[in-house]
Amino acid sequence: MKLKLGPTLSLPADAVTQTFGFFGRKGSGKTYAAGVLVEQLLGAELPVVVIDPVGNWYGLRFAPMGKSASQFKIPILGGERGDIALQATAGQLVAKTIVDTGTSAVLDVSLFHKAERKRFMADFAEELFHRKKTNRGPMHLVIEEAQLFAPQMAKGEERLLGAIEDVVRLGRNYGIGVSMLSQRPQSINTEVRNQCEPLVIFQLVAKHERDAVKGWMQHMGVDADLEELSRLKTGECFFWSPAWLEKFERLRFGTKSTYDASSTPTVGSVRAPGKLNRLNLSTLESAMVLVVEEAKANDPKELKRQIAELQKQLAAKPKAAVAAAPAKDQAASDRAVAAYRAQVERELAAERRANQSLIKALRQRLAKVAELASTNGLPAEPVQAELPKAAVSNAPIYKDKSPDNGHRAATPKPARKETPRADGDVHLGKCELAILRVLSQFPDGCQVDKLTLLAGYRFSGGFRNSLGTLRSAGLIEGENTGTLRITDSGMAVDEFDPLPSGEALAEYWLSHPSFGKCERAILRALIDHPEGLDAHALCSATGYEFSGGFRNSLGSLRKAGVITGKNTETMKASDELLGVGV
């Protein structure tokens, strides 16, 4: 079976599991060309799912002039023309339905707010990836405006980026192919973008856009004249497939058989496609309603509203009536209060974990500023405006008593936390608190090298002094050369969050501030391959070379106890992360 995409371009059917990159300035023809590929896949009865943040892919349901129906009865979920509404909380449900039924769909997320779009797509991509592991079969995922879902700068969007990276990097193992479309290739995460092959490049004018393509060429070992990219005409492209097809050609895609809803309206033209005949998706729509009701039932605002309403009703009743109220009304109120309190506690715990790394970075930055100011004789006022209270707490100013005090500004001393003791008070700095925080996660003890890694310190004289302070205060026990343990008094210093379990434990280690990008990539690959990987397979799964830096990352993960196996053996994620014996 061949997929005919143009006069000179025909692809084998296994294109469905390839990773295409359609890049070009707006109006250059990238979405049109991707539409030709989608039509060919649908015509071959191969499942296609389109993520549409723009709201134009409904055109697949119309003939070219937009007045009659096309041959494709592809469901449209969400958007202004959707067969059913799409809920931001339904990402997992939609992925489950698509994988289990093998259906095609357009997921129109154009009406979502930014946060809703992120939530839906993260849930959808995670469930799609994990569900395909046990329900393998070819399907193609089209991601319009890919930079929205796999951004180069992913601060605050790590979960979404990680989900997309799994689908793009490893999805082919389970039958998932991907097409990423963008007019800004430089804004797509580099590791995700470099997975593309073939690459379909339309006109790119700006230098930084062509530089992004140059990075892909260097990654693939391709050599071409990038200046030609700025001289391509609308609809013209370079098709590069150095490994799969060993093909490099300048060409045009063929004509679409469906309505081009993405084309730019011209003066005097009327773009008014006919009314969309909605498909019967009653089963999925009923399931979507259940998702909405469940989300509403678990919404803290809704629970708070119900509690306020119950309190209002109780206040309006006479005292005698209140006393005679059925016990079940009080029980319902108690359950609502307990549910709301539990929800708030979960959210606070999650927020504390998310802010730990930020607070640590801000503290280090403040200390560096104070150090530089002191060295260069500049004013060093304490910066407190944007920091949480845990980071800076009205730190007092200590004046320098050295002879040149008249020429040096006062420097702030970092805030210290006071911990009561039976025989007096002991003052704990951020190093001591970091040590206690790590040891609280390992009540059975922790080796010193593992402790220094997870606390973010070197085993220096200052670190040994902090251990001595904690040991003298009776907050920890054990020797520096062996295993250190936190005592009951140490656990009482603060409300230390325990380690989570199950999938939450994997997320905890994947986002741990002591691990960098390479460590997270290794750990994610080993979690996704519970049978384990040798060094060669692990490098292939992560996209890294087996260099000194890669071996150092393996050592850090092994030291932290989250992976097992030597570099020359099969390496695996720890049993706790894989759920063995838990």
Side-chain angles (χ1 to χ4, degrees), residues 136-359:
R136 302 188 181 195
M139 69 162 289
H140 200 76
L141 180 66
V142 179
I143 306 177
E144 179 73 80
E145 299 295 340
Q147 75 280 354
L148 299 176
F149 306 103
Q152 185 70 266
M153 305 299 293
K155 186 176 182 180
E157 302 178 30
E158 290 83 0
R159 177 175 173 245
L160 174 58
L161 175 59
I164 297 298
E165 188 175 356
D166 283 343
V167 170
V168 175
R169 183 192 294 276
L170 302 172
R172 191 166 183 266
N173 295 316
Y174 314 115
I176 306 173
V178 181
S179 282
M180 291 185 287
L181 285 62
S182 179
Q183 58 183 295
R184 296 161 51 197
Q186 74 280 5
S187 298
I188 299 177
N189 181 269
T190 302
E191 291 192 18
V192 173
R193 186 180 65 232
N194 283 347
Q195 301 301 313
C196 292
E197 205 264 323
L199 201 65
V200 188
I201 302 296
F202 292 80
Q203 187 184 73
L204 290 174
V205 178
K207 181 179 181 300
H208 53 281
E209 295 168 349
R210 298 200 299 273
D211 286 345
V213 177
K214 183 178 180 181
W216 175 89
M217 292 168 58
Q218 293 172 342
H219 181 76
M220 292 291 182
V222 177
D223 186 20
D225 182 9
L226 289 179
E227 294 302 321
E228 285 294 311
L229 294 178
S230 63
R231 293 191 285 269
L232 290 173
K233 296 180 180 179
T234 300
E236 280 190 320
C237 67
F238 281 113
F239 184 94
W240 277 320
S241 179
W244 176 42
L245 299 176
E246 297 182 354
K247 185 181 184 68
F248 173 65
E249 185 177 347
R250 182 171 178 170
L251 52 80
R252 286 179 176 270
F253 276 63
T255 304
K256 288 181 64 177
S257 64
T258 59
Y259 180 61
D260 181 19
S262 66
S263 63
T264 304
T266 58
V267 177
S269 66
V270 178
R271 296 178 67 248
K275 185 177 180 180
L276 198 65
N277 293 324
R278 299 184 183 276
L279 303 180
N280 185 6
L281 302 174
S282 56
T283 302
L284 182 58
E285 190 167 19
S286 299
M288 203 81 71
V289 170
L290 293 177
V291 170
V292 175
E293 292 301 321
E294 182 181 358
K296 185 177 180 181
N298 294 326
D299 185 0
K301 292 183 180 179
E302 178 64 17
L303 290 170
K304 190 174 182 179
R305 186 196 66 77
Q306 293 177 10
I307 293 170
E309 182 63 27
L310 288 171
Q311 291 174 339
K312 182 179 179 181
Q313 292 176 10
L314 289 172
K317 292 181 179 181
K319 292 184 178 180
V322 173
K328 64 179 182 180
D329 289 348
Q330 182 61 44
S333 177
D334 291 343
R335 286 195 299 272
V337 171
Y340 176 62
R341 181 182 295 112
Q343 177 71 18
V344 171
E345 289 175 351
R346 286 195 299 270
E347 291 180 355
L348 289 174
E351 188 171 345
R352 281 198 299 270
R353 287 193 297 271
N355 286 336
Q356 281 180 358
S357 58
L358 175 61
I359 292 173

Side-chain angles (χ1 to χ4, degrees), residues 386-403:
E386 301 298 329
L387 275 177
K389 292 181 179 179
V392 172
S393 179
N394 297 322
I397 300 297
Y398 293 88
K399 292 186 178 181
D400 188 352
K401 297 181 180 181
S402 59

Side-chain angles (χ1 to χ4, degrees), residues 360-499:
K360 179 180 177 181
L362 290 173
R363 283 173 168 167
Q364 291 174 343
R365 186 172 297 179
L366 282 175
K368 186 65 175 177
V369 169
E371 180 184 345
L372 291 173
S374 177
T375 302
N376 294 281
L378 298 174
E381 295 297 328
V383 180
Q384 301 180 28
E386 301 298 329
L387 275 177
K389 292 181 179 179
V392 172
S393 179
N394 297 322
I397 300 297
Y398 293 88
K399 292 186 178 181
D400 188 352
K401 297 181 180 181
S402 59
D404 60 345
N405 186 47
H407 302 285
R408 296 181 63 182
T411 57
K413 184 176 181 179
R416 302 180 70 88
K417 184 172 181 176
E418 294 186 359
T419 305
R421 279 185 58 197
D423 56 346
D425 288 339
V426 60
H427 300 281
L428 301 182
K430 61 179 182 179
C431 181
E432 288 88 352
L433 289 173
I435 292 171
L436 290 177
R437 189 175 297 114
V438 173
L439 291 179
S440 70
Q441 307 289 344
F442 305 96
D444 294 332
C446 180
Q447 293 293 325
V448 172
D449 56 351
K450 180 176 180 178
L451 173 61
T452 55
L453 169 68
L454 299 181
Y457 287 87
R458 295 181 179 179
F459 193 66
S460 60
F463 190 81
R464 288 193 293 271
N465 291 340
S466 295
L467 292 175
T469 298
L470 293 170
R471 193 180 293 107
S472 299
L475 304 180
I476 67 171
E477 59 186 14
E479 299 300 323
N480 293 356
T481 56
T483 300
L484 292 166
R485 298 177 182 82
I486 190 170
T487 64
D488 292 340
S489 299
M491 290 295 293
V493 166
D494 202 349
E495 295 181 2
F496 298 115
D497 293 326
L499 278 175

